[in-house]
Amino acid sequence: MGQQPQTAEQLFSDALELEPEARHAFLDQACRDAPDLRRLVDELLLQEERAGSFLRQPLVKPMVQPAMQQGGAGVTASMPETSRIRGSGGSEGSGSLGRSGRFEPGHTIAGRFLVVRFIARGGMGEVYEVEDHLLQGNRVALKTILPEVAANAQASHRFEQEVLLARKINHRNLCPIYEIFRCAESPPAFLFLTMKLLKGETLESRLRKSLLLPREDALEVFHQMVAGIAAIHAAGVIHRDVKPNNVMLDRSGPRLCVSIMDFGLARLNESDATAPGAGVVAGTPGYLAPELMRGHLPSQASDIFALGVLLHQVLTGERPRASADGSAVSPAASLARAPVPALYLQTVRDFLSESPVVRCRAFEQIRSATEERSLSHPGLQYAPTRWSRRRMLIASGAVCCAVAGGAVWERDRISELLHPLPLKRFVALMDWPPSSDATLKPMLVGLIDAMASELARAEAYDHNLFLIPHFSPSDVNTSAQVDEVRESLGANLILAASGRRSAKDLHVSLQVLQSPSSKALRTKQLRVPISEQLSLPQKAVRAAAELLDITHYEPDDKRAAAGTDNPEAYAAFQAAEALRKQDNDTGLEPAIEKYKEAIELDRHYALAHAKLAIAYCRLSALHSDPAALVLARDNANAALALDPGSVYAHMGRAFALQQAGDTESAIQEMTKALAVDPSNAQTLVWQAQLYADLNRWQDAEDSFRRALRLRPNYWLAHNELGAILTLQGRYAEALSEYRAASLANPRNAIALTNMACMYLQLGQTTQAIDKLRESLRVRPSAVASLTMSQALRSQGKTASALQFAKNATGLNPGNSTTWLELGDCYSMMRYRDAEAREAYIQGARAQREYQAAHPTDGPGWMLLALLEAKVGSASEARKHMRKGDSLPSADLDTQLNKSRVLELLGMRKDALELLSACFKRGATRFAVDLMPEMLSLKRDPSYQKIVGNSA
């Protein structure tokens, strides 16, 4: 009887390879003399059907099979002809395993994914290799969920949960999932998701060859499995189904790469309060921890047990020995002969312990040892670190995780004890102190950009972290000025980057400061030979992550890479980036020349082409230059030809399409950018703004909220979401978002002004004025001055309001709304009609100039119609109102402006009907009270009835 569980598991695995209808005959034959064994296998298959994983692959036996492999944005690897899977329709597909899927090669799914071939079928769906038309035909893996399962609400929820869990965790040893889709074509409707496709083989397939892995490969699997499981647990997730068939090996690079797949059984550790189902144990027989067999809930400790079984197989080629009653396991004698350091052998023994605490303590010890070794010597194999008696006592004295899924214990580093950082780390990234070598500034700006862009992604895992890049202008030369900048950014720490050049090397110093005059809390010194300067961005990113205690996010070296092998081209690119970041676009045209220089030095520099496209888009917007728009489009296309996975190239194309008036196509390009890099919060914000241009409010809101799930402290996303809510009349919700923006960036004048606007709309004038004063103290702005004018007018203080309106036009004379407010102030004062008319004329002139550069801006045309109506140009006002109506202009502010135009044109009935609709959408009386032309309308009984009905 002691051998029966092993035999049952083998039959269970063999049965999974077959179609469900073929399993019955197979088991009849295999178990004809063992009815008890047959019942056990049937029970295992029933549990598999109930708790099976959505991403599970059938246990086929190919030499090489496709996989979903962790990687950065880029072109997916092609599949060689020699790596066909049995059952894929190739010449090797004959025999009992030959089968096909629901979709034939050549079929297009959801109008986007062209089926290349069927890969496999699992218990919950089918896997295909497909070409993604929106990603220039790049190939990805597509997994369907069976229609009958998709029709079940609970099963659909599990499928969607799998995507959310997989996208929550970003680590090089975890397989990424891109997106989930619901498709109604070719009924019945079904769900599917997409993943990255690469060549490789499962660890299960490799172990079935009955050959032990080479020592180096075994240690790679050991180290990378520990790193991947640690990343899963750090995100609060339990995998629940760690086994060789859920591990992919990829040998396409210089080193073996290990990827953990299949989150189908995973659940968030902190939210899992119930067992998977009555009588069902989540996981795979042979990998279940003893406590699971006794009815306990899955935990991090049970994952570690399964990892122990897997690593035992890797080192010995066989599973641990099960006790007679199946309640425990013990290592095989062959483990002692495994050709690896003793620390690894003891770790496997501890992973297989009946005690969850012993497992967790061993896991933390090996994680710390291998992590430190790989950071210190990335090119070396993972030999054990020597453990001092003191270190062993420290490590063994902590309870690592609870039986039902407690938190993983982390050993405090000495530097953290001596130099702790605040719990909330709002970090301003600056190049400071200034270098006497001006040629180093572009390099430092590039490092800051790389650190901010990559490490901002860690905010999804650490809500107490917020990174704020600040590219120091030339007038920030003193400690007091640096402190002023830090306070204006709402930061409590500075990550300061400085550099110097020696005859052969570049030296970069990274310091964490509480103020520029204080002693550094932490410091990292980087030095690279000048010939290797292209490696600096990746080194700086990783050093910054360590300095800032960013532990739950693994930086992606590819995203931080220079993008060229030519140091001169990279230097020109860095100079362009520094020029591009100068205030008020003063460095735009010099930046364009530097981007062009970088391209001349390296014709294959895709990133330089992409950034040049974006710069040309900006030039076109500033000067209404159609030639610049053509150059933007051409450079974006060139970048995509060189690198189809370039996020910035898709952005450049999107901006060019938007300026050409094709916002729908621009959104498609942004969608392509997000498909390449789903965790890019900045792209999501830009996508949301494009949706807003089309009045697609819900889509815009969804994109902003996705961005905020990735970066909870991203003040700009909170602020822009507030703007979207404002345009819909959802003022209370908008106020909440503006408050969040202000909390994330406490001294940001824009967020303070927007809060004041919402207080005004909600009738809380005193609070509004307080916020406006605070905003103007931080930074005088035209918008804050204009809003203060409105607040004072609402209190009847027109003379005081007039002064703020004048300040607004002085601060931004090209903004037509400031002239509108100045005109409204004059029009509410005696004997100032001529001055009011002149202000409206100035506003109309400014707005016409704006519309010439932005002909598809519907709200802008309506504003111009209002200004024309104010000066008595009725025909022009009607023409511009019709133009505005023909474009997306459904936001509440624009509709209120239209009601003003209608009243000025003598169309009161239409004006009242529109006002009634606006009130129903959330408009308040405050806005109407500030409209001078509505004084007569407000006395109309119909208006009083409208106000009464909306109260």
Side-chain angles (χ1 to χ4, degrees):
M1 293 294 292
Q3 295 299 314
Q4 181 170 306
Q6 181 69 21
T7 305
E9 291 165 18
Q10 184 61 56
L11 289 172
F12 165 72
S13 295
D14 291 341
L16 280 181
E17 296 182 2
L18 304 175
E19 297 287 345
E21 58 269 19
R23 294 173 184 168
H24 186 75
F26 166 74
L27 292 174
D28 281 347
Q29 176 68 22
C31 304
R32 60 183 181 273
D33 297 324
D36 291 341
L37 179 60
R38 170 63 183 271
R39 282 193 294 272
L40 179 55
V41 175
D42 283 341
E43 177 60 26
L44 293 176
L45 289 169
L46 179 61
Q47 292 183 7
E48 165 77 9
E49 180 180 351
R50 290 174 177 170
S53 164
F54 293 113
L55 291 180
R56 179 170 294 124
Q57 302 282 347
L59 297 178
V60 298
K61 303 179 182 179
M63 292 296 291
V64 183
Q65 72 182 42
M68 289 63 72
Q69 170 65 29
Q70 171 73 23
V75 184
T76 54
S78 60
M79 298 295 300
E81 279 297 309
T82 57
S83 63
R84 288 184 183 144
I85 289 187
R86 296 155 72 178
S88 65
S91 61
E92 300 175 37
S94 60
S96 62
L97 288 180
R99 53 187 182 264
S100 61
R102 171 180 174 182
F103 301 106
E104 296 295 328
H107 184 95
T108 299
I109 301 174
R112 173 174 174 180
F113 301 99
L114 176 67
V115 176
V116 176
R117 66 191 180 103
F118 170 76
I119 294 176
R121 178 181 291 111
M124 301 298 289
E126 299 173 339
V127 183
Y128 297 86
E129 180 180 349
V130 298
E131 289 184 354
D132 187 346
H133 289 314
L134 289 185
L135 288 181
Q136 309 294 314
N138 282 354
R139 295 191 178 188
V140 297
L142 181 150
K143 175 122 189 186
T144 68
I145 182 171
L146 297 175
E148 57 267 31
V149 179
N152 181 284
Q154 182 178 2
S156 293
H157 175 73
R158 288 178 62 204
F159 189 68
E160 293 164 359
Q161 181 74 357
E162 175 183 16
V163 180
L164 294 175
L165 287 170
R167 292 182 60 171
K168 176 183 176 72
I169 311 168
N170 186 339
H171 191 273
R172 63 175 176 267
N173 295 122
L174 303 179
C175 169
I177 291 178
Y178 293 148
E179 193 56 271
I180 184 171
F181 301 83
R182 180 177 292 275
C183 184
E185 66 182 35
S186 304
F190 63 100
L191 298 171
F192 68 91
L193 55 78
T194 56
M195 299 161 284
K196 199 162 196 176
L197 180 71
L198 268 175
K199 59 179 178 290
E201 64 177 329
T202 63
L203 179 59
E204 172 78 16
S205 173
R206 178 63 182 80
L207 293 173
R208 282 185 173 216
K209 298 174 184 176
S210 301
L211 295 172
L212 288 177
L213 273 70
R215 178 181 184 275
E216 293 75 14
D217 285 356
L219 288 174
E220 287 284 4
V221 172
F222 202 117
H223 172 265
Q224 294 184 47
M225 285 297 301
V226 168
I229 295 298
I232 294 171
H233 289 178
V237 173
I238 306 167
H239 188 288
R240 300 185 181 216
D241 201 20
V242 177
K243 64 180 183 181
N245 206 43
N246 285 337
V247 178
M248 186 59 62
L249 307 180
D250 177 14
R251 302 176 183 275
S252 60
R255 290 171 54 189
L256 176 68
C257 182
V258 178
S259 289
I260 301 171
M261 304 187 297
D262 195 343
F263 290 84
L265 291 179
R267 290 293 183 274
L268 278 175
N269 182 17
E270 61 195 28
S271 63
D272 191 6
T274 60
V280 177
V281 179
T284 298
Y287 299 87
L288 299 176
E291 65 268 18
L292 295 182
M293 305 302 293
R294 296 192 291 267
H296 289 216
L297 293 177
S299 68
Q300 294 177 0
S302 57
D303 273 358
I304 296 170
F305 179 90
L307 177 60
V309 177
L310 181 149
L311 295 175
H312 188 285
Q313 290 179 267
V314 167
L315 297 179
T316 68
E318 58 181 321
R319 290 188 189 173
R321 303 300 181 190
S323 63
D325 61 2
S327 63
V329 298
S330 59
S334 57
L335 181 65
R337 299 190 296 272
V340 295
L343 173 64
Y344 293 82
L345 303 180
Q346 185 58 47
T347 295
V348 172
R349 296 186 185 100
D350 289 343
F351 282 4
L352 299 175
S353 169
E354 284 193 69
S355 168
V357 173
V358 170
R359 288 179 227 149
C360 291
R361 182 168 61 235
F363 183 84
E364 177 57 26
Q365 288 176 0
I366 194 66
R367 184 196 66 79
S368 297
T370 57
E371 184 178 84
E372 287 184 6
R373 187 67 174 172
S374 65
L375 286 175
S376 301
H377 306 284
L380 299 180
Q381 298 298 331
Y382 302 104
T385 302
R386 292 187 177 275
W387 286 63
S388 66
R389 176 180 176 82
R390 173 179 172 79
R391 183 175 176 191
M392 289 292 291
L393 288 172
I394 292 173
S396 63
V399 177
C400 303
C401 60
V403 174
V408 175
W409 170 78
E410 288 196 12
R411 177 176 52 87
D412 286 337
R413 299 175 180 177
I414 294 176
S415 62
E416 293 172 2
L417 293 172
L418 296 178
H419 307 291
L421 300 182
L423 174 63
K424 288 191 175 293
R425 289 151 294 147
F426 285 11
V427 188
L429 282 70
M430 306 175 66
D431 57 301
W432 175 265
S435 172
S436 58
D437 184 352
T439 63
L440 288 177
K441 186 175 181 67
M443 180 267 289
L444 294 171
V445 170
L447 294 184
I448 290 171
D449 203 10
M451 291 185 288
S453 298
E454 182 60 28
L455 297 182
R457 297 165 188 264
E459 293 173 20
Y461 309 95
D462 187 345
H463 294 187
N464 291 318
L465 173 70
F466 181 40
L467 300 180
I468 317 165
H470 177 78
F471 305 101
S472 303
S474 57
D475 59 345
V476 177
N477 296 309
T478 68
S479 296
Q481 290 169 332
V482 173
D483 257 336
E484 185 179 340
V485 170
R486 179 185 58 78
E487 290 180 9
S488 70
L489 295 173
N492 59 357
L493 293 173
I494 299 170
L495 179 59
S498 60
R500 64 182 179 86
R501 190 191 311 267
S502 64
K504 297 181 179 180
D505 298 325
L506 283 174
H507 302 255
V508 173
S509 174
L510 299 179
Q511 299 181 83
V512 179
L513 311 168
Q514 289 185 314
S515 71
S517 57
S518 64
K519 184 178 179 180
L521 296 175
R522 299 178 182 180
T523 301
K524 285 280 185 182
Q525 302 293 337
L526 306 177
R527 185 181 69 178
V528 299
I530 292 176
S531 61
E532 298 177 15
Q533 60 182 294
L534 297 179
S535 67
L536 258 179
Q538 295 99 319
K539 294 179 184 295
V541 167
R542 292 190 174 274
E546 186 173 344
L547 285 172
L548 297 174
D549 290 346
I550 297 174
T551 58
H552 293 167
Y553 174 75
E554 183 69 19
D556 187 322
D557 286 343
K558 184 174 181 179
R559 280 194 295 261
T564 179
D565 295 327
N566 186 318
E568 290 77 17
Y570 185 51
F573 177 81
Q574 287 181 312
E577 291 282 273
L579 289 165
R580 186 67 189 87
K581 291 176 173 68
Q582 290 182 6
D583 292 339
N584 302 315
D585 295 299
T586 54
L588 177 59
E589 293 188 30
I592 287 174
E593 294 305 313
K594 280 294 182 181
Y595 285 129
K596 290 162 64 177
E597 180 183 332
I599 293 168
E600 286 295 324
L601 291 164
D602 181 357
R603 294 286 185 176
H604 298 88
Y605 201 166
L607 184 58
H609 276 290
K611 290 298 190 80
L612 179 57
I614 295 172
Y616 273 131
C617 285
R618 182 59 181 163
L619 187 67
S620 174
L622 289 174
H623 303 298
S624 304
D625 186 349
L629 210 54
V630 172
L631 290 169
R633 181 197 62 205
D634 291 347
N635 275 280
N637 291 339
L640 287 169
L642 292 166
D643 181 4
S646 169
V647 172
Y648 284 110
H650 285 298
M651 289 180 181
R653 185 184 275 178
F655 295 148
L657 287 166
Q658 180 192 26
Q659 289 188 38
D662 190 355
T663 308
E664 287 285 4
S665 296
I667 288 174
Q668 291 179 13
E669 286 298 325
M670 283 296 182
T671 302
K672 294 176 186 178
L674 285 168
V676 174
D677 185 6
S679 62
N680 192 319
Q682 179 62 74
T683 307
L684 283 165
V685 168
W686 283 330
Q687 181 190 57
Q689 291 168 339
L690 290 173
Y691 280 134
D693 288 345
L694 294 175
N695 294 165
R696 291 169 59 176
W697 311 120
Q698 189 57 54
D699 288 332
E701 184 176 343
D702 291 345
S703 291
F704 278 128
R705 294 200 186 281
R706 282 179 62 193
L708 287 168
R709 284 195 292 272
L710 293 170
R711 293 189 64 187
N713 297 319
Y714 193 7
W715 83 269
L716 181 62
H718 282 294
N719 186 78
E720 294 297 296
L721 175 55
I724 294 298
L725 297 170
T726 299
L727 294 175
Q728 299 174 76
R730 296 160 63 181
Y731 300 129
E733 295 174 74
L735 176 60
S736 178
E737 292 300 327
Y738 292 139
R739 281 174 176 159
S742 187
L743 286 172
N745 199 347
R747 289 181 56 80
N748 186 279
I750 296 173
L752 291 167
T753 299
N754 287 336
M755 288 174 64
C757 290
M758 292 307 96
Y759 280 130
L760 283 179
Q761 292 289 354
L762 296 170
Q764 302 176 42
T765 308
T766 302
Q767 293 92 322
I769 291 175
D770 288 343
K771 288 297 175 186
L772 288 167
R773 286 173 177 158
E774 187 177 349
S775 175
L776 289 166
R777 280 196 300 270
V778 172
R779 191 187 68 181
S781 71
V783 177
S785 295
L786 180 155
T787 308
M788 181 67 87
S789 174
Q790 292 177 330
L792 294 170
R793 276 204 294 130
S794 72
Q795 294 181 326
K797 301 175 182 178
T798 309
S800 298
L802 178 63
Q803 190 56 52
F804 280 99
K806 288 180 178 179
N807 291 343
T809 58
L811 287 166
N812 192 350
N815 186 334
S816 59
T817 57
T818 63
W819 292 105
L820 176 62
E821 174 59 24
L822 181 61
D824 286 349
C825 281
Y826 279 129
S827 68
M828 298 183 73
M829 304 173 73
R830 286 180 134 189
Y831 314 120
R832 310 296 291 267
D833 292 345
E835 291 161 293
R837 177 180 170 81
E838 181 59 29
Y840 295 138
I841 290 172
Q842 291 284 357
R845 183 181 296 118
Q847 191 62 29
R848 278 193 294 271
E849 291 177 1
Y850 173 84
Q851 292 304 131
H854 304 83
T856 60
D857 186 347
W861 286 113
M862 199 66 71
L863 179 57
L864 180 55
L866 174 58
L867 289 161
E868 296 284 9
K870 288 275 197 178
V871 298
S873 300
S875 61
E876 289 295 300
R878 287 188 175 90
K879 180 177 71 175
H880 296 145
M881 182 170 63
R882 288 193 296 270
K883 182 71 172 176
D885 281 336
S886 70
L887 295 165
S889 55
D891 63 276
L892 197 54
D893 286 349
T894 299
Q895 293 305 299
L896 287 170
N897 279 341
K898 182 179 178 180
S899 71
R900 301 175 71 177
V901 177
L902 292 170
E903 173 65 12
L904 287 166
L905 296 177
M907 304 167 68
R908 175 163 295 181
K909 180 180 178 182
D910 293 332
L912 287 168
E913 288 179 358
L914 184 54
L915 280 175
S916 178
C918 288
F919 280 127
K920 289 177 182 177
R921 290 177 58 188
T924 64
R925 294 183 61 177
F926 166 81
V928 180
D929 289 344
L930 289 176
M931 301 174 182
E933 61 278 349
M934 296 298 195
L935 291 176
S936 175
L937 178 145
K938 288 165 58 179
R939 293 191 288 268
D940 191 307
S942 297
Y943 175 77
Q944 298 302 325
K945 183 178 179 181
I946 290 171
V947 173
N949 290 338
S950 65

